[in-house]
């Protein structure tokens, strides 16, 4: 790729969203410099790499970068463990502040950071970007994402930088094996049954990982600043998702007794992103891509 192509510094390039975004960005002509403790094994041979440890941010290799895309974060394995509060704040808030400070000192002109749309306060209407942030669950993690937004916005205030914040809904897609959707998809391709705890009333705005990458590229081509909801605009419950997967795979759904259920998170107002040409794929199409990828993986494992 030409050395004249713009250079983008990327954290979280080995993560679920980061891998898909990096591939899409390369196709759009961006060069990528991964910031990580080690070179991501999935990185393209043409990609650059510079050392970054978010637990102890020191010198950051940002020279020559036109943009910084910060996707890396600490996500607790147990959202109820109070010890995670310190880790979330140290990495997601303070380390991000140090990283952004380094970017500003290096003259990076555009910063894009990942936050979470699940941090919105409870509301009767789909929240837009002006809605209040106050998470009702997963507070150690989501609270740190709110703090990250506040600290980064304060550091960038008055600076000659274009700051864009991605408020991501619940991301899913091919290759996902963790989380409720990943587990249900695995059950579907393995012959079922799909197990649902309780009534499956937990709902969330599900967004395909390819749509996230497309939204990020739209924003990289735009001079619009501030927060952007990145979702589908539709809330889907676990029960609805199980029925969709069962209908496509022919397996059964089994409801198991469960503890008191969390109602989950609302659909998002995505008008601001749609104004830039964003159009998310329907859930049925997204789930089909996920099941196809799982089937191909199983066939490959058997062939091997």
């Amino acid at each position: 790729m030409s050395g004249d192509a713009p250079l983008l510094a990327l954290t979280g390039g080995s993560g679920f969203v980061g891998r898909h975004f990096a591939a899409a960005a390369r196709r759009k002509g961006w060069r990528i410099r991964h910031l990580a403790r080690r070179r991501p094994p999935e990185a393209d041979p043409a990609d650059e790499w510079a050392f970054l440890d978010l637990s102890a941010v020191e010198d950051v290799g940002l020279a020559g970068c036109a943009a910084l895309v910060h996707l890396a974060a600490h996500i607790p394995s147990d959202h109820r463990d109070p010890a995670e509060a310190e880790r979330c704040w140290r990495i997601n808030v303070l380390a991000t502040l140090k990283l952004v400070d380094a970017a500003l000192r290096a003259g990076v002109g555009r910063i894009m950071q990942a936050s979470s749309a699940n941090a919105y306060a409870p509301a009767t209407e789909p929240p837009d970007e002006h809605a209040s942030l106050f998470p009702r669950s997963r507070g150690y993690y989501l609270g740190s994402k709110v703090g990250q937004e506040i600290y980064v916005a304060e550091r960038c205030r008055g600076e000659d930088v274009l700051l864009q914040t991605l408020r991501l809904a619940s991301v899913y897609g091919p290759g996902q094996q963790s989380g409720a959707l990943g587990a249900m998809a695995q059950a579907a391709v393995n012959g079922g049954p799909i197990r649902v705890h309780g009534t499956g009333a937990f709902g969330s705005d599900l967004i395909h990982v390819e749509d996230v990458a497309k939204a990020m590229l739209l924003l990289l081509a735009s001079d619009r600043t501030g927060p952007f909801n990145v979702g589908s605009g539709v809330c889907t419950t676990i029960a609805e998702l199980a029925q969709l997967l069962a209908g496509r795979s022919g397996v059964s759904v089994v409801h198991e007794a469960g503890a008191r259920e969390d109602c989950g998170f609302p659909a998002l107002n995505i008008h601001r992103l749609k104004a830039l040409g964003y159009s998310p794929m329907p859930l049925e199409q997204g789930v089909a891509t996920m099941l196809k990828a799982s089937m191909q993986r199983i066939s490959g494992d058997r062939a091997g």
Side-chain angles (χ1 to χ4, degrees):
M1 183 175 293
S2 171
D4 294 332
L7 180 61
L8 178 152
L10 174 64
T11 75
S14 61
F16 183 51
V17 173
R19 295 195 305 273
H20 284 81
F21 166 70
R26 289 186 206 103
R27 291 193 294 269
K28 278 291 185 179
W30 286 89
R31 291 183 295 135
I32 296 175
R33 178 181 297 163
H34 294 275
L35 303 181
R37 284 179 291 184
R38 60 187 65 85
R39 182 181 178 87
E42 305 88 353
D44 188 276
D47 289 355
E48 300 180 12
W49 170 76
F51 180 82
L52 173 67
D53 184 352
L54 285 174
S55 64
V57 178
E58 296 179 358
D59 294 333
V60 184
L62 290 165
C65 292
L68 165 66
V69 175
H70 179 41
L71 300 178
H74 174 70
I75 302 176
S77 57
D78 180 359
H79 283 280
R80 297 180 62 84
D81 181 0
E84 292 288 1
E86 187 274 336
R87 299 185 191 105
C88 286
W89 200 264
R90 176 167 46 86
I91 295 175
N92 299 342
V93 183
L94 298 179
T96 297
L97 177 60
K98 291 181 179 179
L99 177 62
V100 167
D101 180 66
L104 293 174
R105 288 187 281 107
V108 176
R110 180 188 294 266
I111 295 173
M112 181 182 292
Q113 63 171 342
S115 184
S116 176
N118 292 338
Y120 280 116
T124 57
E125 295 294 326
D128 64 13
E129 290 83 356
H130 297 291
S132 298
L133 295 168
F134 197 100
R136 59 186 169 187
S137 65
R138 298 162 176 78
Y140 304 132
Y141 170 67
L142 293 176
S144 74
K145 300 307 283 184
V146 176
Q148 174 184 328
E149 286 198 34
I150 294 170
Y151 278 33
V152 170
E154 182 65 25
R155 178 62 187 89
C156 291
R157 195 183 311 279
E159 298 285 348
D160 185 20
V161 64
L162 194 155
L163 174 62
Q164 298 168 323
T165 298
L166 310 166
R167 289 182 180 163
L168 298 175
S170 298
V171 185
Y172 75 98
Q176 181 185 19
Q177 300 182 48
S178 61
L181 178 49
M184 289 193 294
Q186 284 296 109
V189 298
N190 287 325
I194 298 173
R195 302 186 183 278
V196 176
H197 295 287
T199 64
F202 181 94
S204 62
D205 188 320
L206 296 170
I207 181 65
H208 197 280
V209 67
E210 291 180 8
D211 286 333
V212 175
K214 291 176 183 176
M216 294 171 70
L217 291 174
L218 281 173
L219 289 172
L220 283 174
S222 167
D223 61 359
R224 299 287 298 277
T225 63
F228 293 84
N229 286 341
V230 185
S232 66
V234 178
C235 181
T236 303
T237 67
I238 292 293
E240 292 169 336
L241 190 56
Q243 290 299 326
L244 175 60
L245 287 163
R248 284 194 162 271
S249 59
V251 303
S252 61
V253 177
V254 175
H255 286 263
E256 301 177 332
R260 182 180 177 183
E261 295 178 76
D262 182 349
C263 63
F265 307 102
L268 298 176
N269 180 321
I270 56 174
H271 294 331
R272 187 163 196 242
L273 197 53
K274 277 189 169 182
L276 298 178
Y278 171 74
S279 179
M281 72 176 69
L283 180 62
E284 293 81 0
Q285 180 183 345
V287 165
T289 69
M290 195 170 179
L291 291 175
K292 181 179 179 180
S294 296
M295 290 298 296
Q296 289 174 338
R297 184 174 62 253
I298 290 173
S299 298
D301 290 344
R302 290 172 179 169

